[in-house]
Amino acid sequence: LAKTTQPISMDSYEGQEVNITCSHNNIATNDYITWYQQFPSQGPRFIIQGYKTKVTNEVASLFIPADRKSSTLSLPRVSLSDTAVYYCLVGETNFGNEKLTFGTGTRLTIIP
Amino acid sequence: EAGVTQFPSHSVIEKGQTVTLRCDPISGHDNLYWYRRVMGKEIKFLLHFVKESKQDESGMPNNRFLAERTGGTYSTLKVQPAELEDSGVYFCASSQGPATGWNTEAFFGQGTRLTVV
């Protein structure tokens, strides 16, 4: 599976837009890019998924350049409740190898 | 709709004892995963069930760990005998299709915090 690299931590003020970039240089043609969010004492929660270009939902946007070697999760106008660890995952569906692989994640702290 | 539920939420046992963790996936989800995070480390995959069959158990650390999913519904993860290094948070997740698939969301439980003393 493609290995991902993210910043270990980020701080941001309330109301700002936050962009978290993930590198996945070895991404394969069939790999999707998925982001999960984890609050303290909870399990990870799906945020968004994409393959290429831009994806937007009610929570976030995901930007993927043409070479797909990186992706950027964008959180608009963050609030204190967005303080969490954000994981970038890359994986494909191969029979017998269908597991999500978590990296270190990015610990995002929102400052009042 | 009920989410993924795990029991117990916390467990403190002595080294050498046995502990059984339980996971109730979302109804209808064929895929069930177990993960673990030990202190200061990343969330690590343990194994993957499709219905009652073990699809991938490459992450199981050793033969002290036994996972079952009889009938393809709930799953149990038994640790016997428990060692100090087994301490951590054990997460269960379920999904309709494979968790890495397109447009497939894996739903995680809140985890079981296991402490071996």
Side-chain angles (χ1 to χ4, degrees):
Chain A
L1 289 177
K3 180 177 172 61
T4 60
T5 303
Q6 309 174 230
I8 294 295
S9 64
M10 293 179 66
D11 295 338
S12 179
Y13 288 99
E14 275 191 294
Q16 290 189 330
E17 177 183 81
V18 171
N19 296 309
I20 305 174
T21 297
C22 176
S23 297
H24 27 80
N25 292 317
N26 297 322
I27 191 168
T29 303
N30 295 330
D31 286 349
Y32 308 117
I33 300 157
T34 310
W35 286 77
Y36 278 75
Q37 173 192 56
Q38 186 179 26
F39 297 114
S41 301
Q42 293 188 23
R45 184 180 71 136
F46 174 93
I47 302 177
I48 197 167
Q49 184 184 54
Y51 182 77
K52 61 180 178 181
T53 62
K54 176 184 175 182
V55 180
T56 297
N57 62 22
E58 65 277 5
V59 176
S61 294
L62 180 60
F63 299 90
I64 305 168
D67 66 5
R68 304 199 330 118
K69 293 184 183 299
S70 68
S71 59
T72 299
L73 175 73
S74 180
L75 305 172
R77 296 181 299 281
V78 294
S79 64
L80 294 177
S81 62
D82 292 315
T83 293
V85 179
Y86 291 82
Y87 294 96
C88 164
L89 300 95
V90 174
E92 61 181 301
T93 300
N94 280 332
F95 182 77
N97 184 22
E98 300 162 341
K99 56 184 177 288
L100 296 170
T101 300
F102 289 84
T104 57
T106 298
R107 183 173 298 277
L108 175 65
T109 302
I110 306 302
I111 304 166
Chain B
E1 178 183 323
V4 176
T5 52
Q6 293 187 243
F7 304 96
S9 56
H10 295 83
S11 180
V12 181
I13 62 171
E14 293 184 349
K15 176 182 172 181
Q17 288 187 322
T18 297
V19 63
T20 300
L21 313 181
R22 173 169 169 145
C23 169
D24 284 73
I26 292 173
S27 178
H29 281 191
D30 288 341
N31 292 267
L32 187 149
Y33 298 82
W34 283 98
Y35 285 83
R36 173 175 79 166
R37 181 170 60 200
V38 298
M39 182 70 74
K41 299 289 183 62
E42 299 170 4
I43 298 172
K44 292 293 188 184
F45 166 82
L46 295 178
L47 89 159
H48 171 206
F49 283 101
V50 177
K51 297 184 180 179
E52 68 277 7
S53 300
K54 293 176 184 176
Q55 181 89 323
D56 180 1
E57 51 185 330
S58 61
M60 294 289 265
N62 50 60
N63 59 11
R64 295 185 294 103
F65 288 75
L66 175 64
E68 294 180 321
R69 192 184 182 195
T70 306
T73 55
Y74 71 91
S75 175
T76 57
L77 179 64
K78 182 164 71 173
V79 185
Q80 178 184 30
E83 298 289 344
L84 298 179
E85 63 265 26
D86 299 332
S87 295
V89 181
Y90 290 75
F91 292 103
C92 174
S94 74
S95 57
Q96 284 190 319
T100 53
W102 177 249
N103 214 26
T104 299
E105 177 178 348
F107 294 84
F108 283 77
Q110 298 222 4
T112 294
R113 181 174 296 278
L114 174 65
T115 303
V116 183
V117 298

